[in-house]
Amino acid sequence: MDEFKVRTVDLQRVQNQTRHRTEGLSSSTLVLRRGQTFTVIINYDGRPFDPLKEKLIFRIVLGPIAVEVPVSRFGQPSATQWTAILERSVPNPTGPRALSVSLSSPVTASIGVYTLQLRVETRVTVKTHLLGQFTLLCNPWSQADSVFLQSEDLRTEYVMSDIGLLFKGSPGNIVSRPWSFDQYEKGILDICMKLLQVSPQHQADMGKDLQNRSNPVYIGRVISAMVNSNDDKGVITGNWSGDYSGGVNPSKWSGSADILRMWAETQFRPVKYGQCWVFAAVMCTVMRALGIPTRVITNFNSAHDTNGNMVIEEYYNEMGEKLSFSRDSIWNFHVWVESWMKRPDLGRGYDGWQVLDPTPQERSAGIFRCGPAAVKAIYEQKVDAQYDVPFVYAEVNADVRVMIVRDRTVLSTSVDKRRVGALISTKRPGSMIMQDVTSEYKTEKDMVPFRAAGGIAARGYTFGDERTMPREDSKGVAVSLQLLKAPVVGENISFNVIITNNEAAQKLLKKHVNAQNKEYNRNPTGSFWESHDDVKIGPKETVTIKHEISFKEYMLKETAEDSLVNLAVVIEDVKTQERVLASEEFNIRTPSLNIQIQNEVSVIINTPQVATVVFTNPFNVAVSGELTVSGSGLLEEKAQMRITIQPRETTKKPVSFTPRMAGAKMLSANLVLENPPTILHGFKTINVQAS
């Protein structure tokens, strides 16, 4: 009878990827999760396979690391080593015979792109067959994997979901920004694996890097450094200058695929430009693609403590203008990610969510990266826990020392222990609303309850307040600011200055109010509006003075999606020369775009549909700009069109799409206007049903 001879080997791509929950991930290879069995069918000619006469040995290769796995007839998959077990012989009387082999990887296998070979040894011959490549990912479904996540709902959200919301603005006027993570888009998984290969760690010592890739703590640190381009061939260059010539305004990005593709297609030249939410969203894409549960976090009033003293110094002149004396700053919001993993390096109790921050702020062990810092270690103030816990602790807990100065002499000081880390938020699993996670980072005593006023949280930093000076230091006058409604581009900003005389004598006061434009990540620039008056106030009296800043006075100079304002008032007692200050930082929201679906309840896979983008021009002038509609799994190509809309006119633009993936998907629309230079967003989530 003919000798046993292998004809073909079938890697059972569709069946294996369905079982491994990797269907939809686009790769040039088979995609598997570690610690789980997969099936390979060996088609052969000649006499039936006889394990006494033939030896089948799989060779599994990752860079310089190779492991030989002989096929055994009996046994169980192992959690600690590669195994290959003969499942059955598949009879086929007419054609080639087939063997079904069950292969399994250890749950601690390194993630990467492996090469699979099969060697057939008989007494006289040795033949090697190259079977192709497979990409191995972390496995949050496997209880023994260090990224195991208990709940199916949370795995669906933090690993499988490719749509998200990023939160921006200020705590009292939160803006939800749609983002498409795009991990299922063509070629994106392969680019995420390339990110690991281009890293300095891989270039310096390939073998060591590949061995370390079994550990999500290590992977997180590598990705955190590789998403920014500061020390390596990383993905994105940060730019906070307001001048984005030679690149893309960070506010124009709406998904990760464009950024990752541009980086890969230019031989790993950094993409211009990103800011914190872009860095975090791209990192979320990469981590989810690698199988590590990840979510995007926004910290409102985020401290950037440059000297590590846990105190942020702020300076104002006596006219209420904020001064740039300090390198410290408070970012109105800052965006990072949390990834879910075990932390055996920290001892018991620190498994779970870990902060990773790819925005290049400070170096960690000489490289611009941050984390993973265990959220529990931040909560417990365990500042000796690696990595970068003190830096993140300061971001959410630093004190703010506010000083009024004249000629570099301090006229008065107050301390605010509650402003920093005012609200820490993420997208709620399974819905498009915000979830408050502040209590995971901060103890009850460090958290501030927000007082809502006119739909916007108002916080007066009064000098007689327990958040600032102790009661006995309380001066004769208290002041606070109150926004009357959430500011929207095109409308006036209305606010009250509320002054209280705590003493039983009449006072003559000087009132200085000042408004400055600011970037979200640093101190404000020059003033664009001010008001100075004298105020007479009776004994124990409270007076409320209303102010309005017109659209013309604050109109944007640069294209932005949210312009931010620092508003401050200084009250000076003419007789005693004592001064008190209140300040409020807020964003002016852009109007949003509305997306309507023709037949929302029955959106079916592979069935054409129509969406309509609706926008009413709120401005007194005609506006024109470019509308872009995109949707991963819904639109093959982005839909782009130029539009012009007359004052107060409503425009409706239809967009046809055909869903190609079932599940929760999102259509998002961006309208970039030239005058006023602003970016408007809108989104609609769609539940696509299988046919």
Side-chain angles (χ1 to χ4, degrees):
M1 207 174 188
D2 298 350
E3 62 172 315
F4 173 88
K5 192 169 159 194
V6 171
R7 274 185 49 169
T8 58
V9 177
D10 179 0
L11 296 184
Q12 298 272 292
R13 186 165 176 157
V14 173
Q15 299 89 322
N16 283 323
Q17 292 200 171
T18 303
R19 279 186 12 223
H20 284 240
R21 295 179 179 81
T22 58
E23 70 268 51
L25 287 170
S26 150
S27 171
S28 52
T29 72
L30 169 68
V31 184
L32 303 169
R33 296 195 187 276
R34 63 187 186 179
Q36 194 172 333
T37 60
F38 61 102
T39 304
V40 172
I41 303 284
I42 301 168
N43 297 305
Y44 66 93
D45 286 332
R47 58 174 172 68
F49 170 67
D50 180 349
L52 298 173
K53 291 180 180 165
E54 287 92 29
K55 267 169 112 179
L56 300 179
I57 298 155
F58 283 98
R59 184 176 163 83
I60 295 155
V61 183
L62 180 64
I65 306 164
V67 58
E68 305 247 309
V69 189
V71 175
S72 64
R73 288 176 66 190
F74 310 105
Q76 286 294 313
S78 161
T80 56
Q81 61 192 47
W82 288 90
T83 58
I85 297 159
L86 192 60
E87 281 187 350
R88 64 191 187 282
S89 200
V90 184
N92 184 350
T94 55
R97 297 188 165 105
L99 297 172
S100 176
V101 178
S102 178
L103 277 151
S104 76
S105 59
V107 78
T108 54
S110 292
I111 67 168
V113 181
Y114 288 75
T115 300
L116 187 62
Q117 299 166 355
L118 174 65
R119 199 165 69 244
V120 183
E121 295 181 358
T122 67
R123 288 192 186 122
V124 287
T125 61
V126 175
K127 283 196 175 148
T128 302
H129 304 264
L130 182 62
L131 308 185
Q133 291 187 308
F134 63 89
T135 299
L136 195 64
L137 307 175
C138 291
N139 192 349
W141 282 265
S142 165
Q143 217 155 349
D145 197 307
S146 53
V147 301
F148 172 68
L149 193 53
Q150 190 83 46
S151 145
E152 181 63 27
D153 286 351
L154 296 187
R155 291 190 293 252
T156 299
E157 178 72 36
Y158 298 135
V159 183
M160 308 292 278
S161 174
D162 61 347
I163 60 175
L165 283 186
L166 315 178
F167 298 105
K168 299 175 68 180
S170 56
N173 193 15
I174 294 164
V175 176
S176 309
R177 175 67 209 280
W179 192 273
S180 183
F181 294 117
D182 295 335
Q183 68 265 38
Y184 300 109
E185 287 294 292
K186 194 167 167 32
I188 291 301
L189 176 61
D190 292 346
I191 296 171
C192 294
M193 301 313 287
K194 268 283 190 292
L195 207 83
L196 293 168
Q197 272 168 282
V198 174
S199 74
Q201 291 86 343
H202 188 80
Q203 300 299 317
D205 187 338
M206 189 193 293
K208 189 177 167 195
D209 169 65
L210 291 170
Q211 268 171 333
N212 284 336
R213 276 199 221 161
S214 62
N215 182 357
V217 174
Y218 174 81
I219 296 164
R221 263 177 99 61
V222 171
I223 301 296
S224 163
M226 279 302 296
V227 169
N228 70 66
S229 66
N230 287 50
D231 312 284
D232 43 47
K233 290 184 174 170
V235 180
I236 307 162
T237 299
N239 183 345
W240 286 267
S241 71
D243 174 8
Y244 307 117
S245 49
V248 175
N249 178 329
S251 296
K252 290 185 184 176
W253 300 115
S254 59
S256 302
D258 288 349
I259 295 169
L260 288 164
R261 280 202 192 110
M262 201 180 286
W263 175 73
E265 284 163 8
T266 58
Q267 296 304 298
F268 318 120
R269 284 221 308 278
V271 175
K272 297 173 176 176
Y273 293 104
Q275 290 181 1
C276 68
W277 69 93
V278 182
F279 287 110
V282 170
M283 180 153 186
C284 184
T285 298
V286 177
M287 297 298 271
R288 284 187 186 180
L290 299 179
I292 301 172
T294 300
R295 62 187 187 180
V296 179
I297 298 285
T298 301
N299 177 34
F300 287 99
N301 296 347
S302 189
H304 183 179
D305 179 23
T306 54
N307 56 8
N309 68 349
M310 303 278 182
V311 177
I312 304 296
E313 287 89 9
E314 289 189 339
Y315 298 89
Y316 285 83
N317 68 17
E318 45 195 330
M319 296 292 138
E321 185 174 16
K322 197 173 190 182
L323 307 168
S324 291
F325 285 174
S326 171
R327 279 191 61 228
D328 286 352
S329 57
I330 295 176
W331 297 27
N332 293 75
F333 61 89
H334 180 46
V335 187
W336 57 68
V337 301
E338 289 174 357
S339 293
W340 182 271
M341 63 188 74
K342 291 197 170 72
R343 288 302 299 273
D345 56 317
L346 299 182
R348 286 175 68 84
Y350 297 101
D351 296 348
W353 291 117
Q354 315 288 322
V355 171
L356 285 154
D357 189 351
T359 298
Q361 289 189 88
E362 299 291 328
R363 288 187 171 88
S364 171
I367 296 172
F368 278 104
R369 59 184 167 187
C370 179
V375 173
K376 281 182 183 150
I378 297 158
Y379 180 86
E380 291 174 8
Q381 305 176 26
K382 192 176 158 64
V383 292
D384 56 340
Q386 56 185 17
Y387 296 87
D388 309 305
V389 170
F391 182 73
V392 184
Y393 178 79
E395 285 183 300
V396 299
N397 274 308
D399 290 350
V400 185
R401 185 177 291 131
V402 183
M403 287 161 274
I404 302 175
V405 296
R406 182 205 295 146
D407 302 330
R408 300 244 167 193
T409 304
V410 176
L411 303 175
S412 78
T413 304
S414 69
V415 176
D416 186 344
K417 291 184 172 294
R418 298 281 188 95
R419 187 183 347 159
V420 165
L423 172 66
I424 305 168
S425 64
T426 188
K427 174 187 162 314
R428 186 179 293 283
S431 78
M432 296 304 270
I433 56 173
M434 193 190 80
Q435 179 180 348
D436 182 344
V437 293
T438 317
S439 61
E440 293 177 26
Y441 283 81
K442 301 176 73 149
T443 57
E444 202 89 331
K445 70 178 177 55
D446 294 324
M447 286 163 61
V448 60
F450 272 107
R451 291 185 284 117
I456 185 159
R459 308 231 265 143
Y461 302 111
T462 60
F463 274 43
D465 187 302
E466 72 250 2
R467 270 182 283 155
T468 53
M469 290 184 164
R471 279 281 169 212
E472 60 272 19
D473 290 345
S474 163
K475 298 292 187 280
V477 177
V479 63
S480 63
L481 286 165
Q482 178 190 39
L483 282 164
L484 296 176
K485 61 179 194 299
V488 178
V489 170
E491 298 176 7
N492 294 348
I493 299 167
S494 308
F495 65 95
N496 287 335
V497 175
I498 302 161
I499 308 166
T500 300
N501 180 0
N502 293 323
E503 294 180 353
Q506 184 174 323
K507 288 181 180 291
L508 178 61
L509 308 173
K510 286 189 180 301
K511 172 171 71 75
H512 307 288
V513 194
N514 198 294
Q516 293 164 276
N517 280 322
K518 78 179 292 288
E519 297 284 325
Y520 78 92
N521 67 315
R522 59 182 129 95
N523 289 324
T525 47
S527 306
F528 65 84
W529 179 91
E530 50 193 279
S531 163
H532 307 280
D533 318 278
D534 294 338
V535 178
K536 273 191 179 145
I537 187 166
K540 299 286 184 182
E541 187 186 4
T542 295
V543 295
T544 300
I545 302 156
K546 186 179 174 183
H547 287 280
E548 287 219 334
I549 303 173
S550 72
F551 174 50
K552 210 161 153 186
E553 287 169 304
Y554 72 78
M555 215 169 110
L556 317 178
K557 309 288 176 285
E558 295 292 337
T559 305
E561 46 184 349
D562 315 297
S563 73
L564 288 153
V565 172
N566 186 85
L567 186 64
V569 55
V570 171
I571 301 295
E572 181 189 341
D573 185 326
V574 173
K575 188 176 170 189
T576 64
Q577 293 204 327
E578 285 171 355
R579 291 171 180 81
V580 292
L581 174 140
S583 69
E584 184 78 60
E585 287 191 346
F586 56 87
N587 55 307
I588 306 170
R589 305 174 73 127
T590 54
S592 50
L593 305 173
N594 185 3
I595 302 176
Q596 297 164 357
I597 307 291
Q598 202 174 22
N599 199 347
E600 208 176 314
V601 286
S602 63
V603 178
I604 296 161
I605 195 165
N606 299 327
T607 307
Q609 273 283 346
V610 177
T612 308
V613 181
V614 183
F615 176 60
T616 302
N617 176 7
F619 305 109
N620 291 323
V621 293
V623 296
S624 58
E626 182 157 64
L627 176 67
T628 305
V629 182
S630 55
S632 182
L634 299 171
L635 283 163
E636 284 291 339
E637 296 277 307
K638 291 184 176 148
Q640 289 182 304
M641 58 198 91
R642 293 274 321 161
I643 60 173
T644 300
I645 319 161
Q646 296 309 312
R648 314 291 168 188
E649 183 195 9
T650 298
T651 183
K652 296 185 177 186
K653 295 290 177 191
V655 176
S656 303
F657 66 96
T658 303
R660 58 177 197 276
M661 282 179 83
K665 296 289 150 202
M666 180 172 70
L667 270 181
S668 69
N670 282 4
L671 176 57
V672 181
L673 296 179
E674 281 113 34
N675 189 25
T678 184
I679 301 177
L680 317 180
H681 298 281
F683 68 92
K684 178 86 180 167
T685 49
I686 299 167
N687 196 24
V688 180
Q689 294 159 24
S691 50

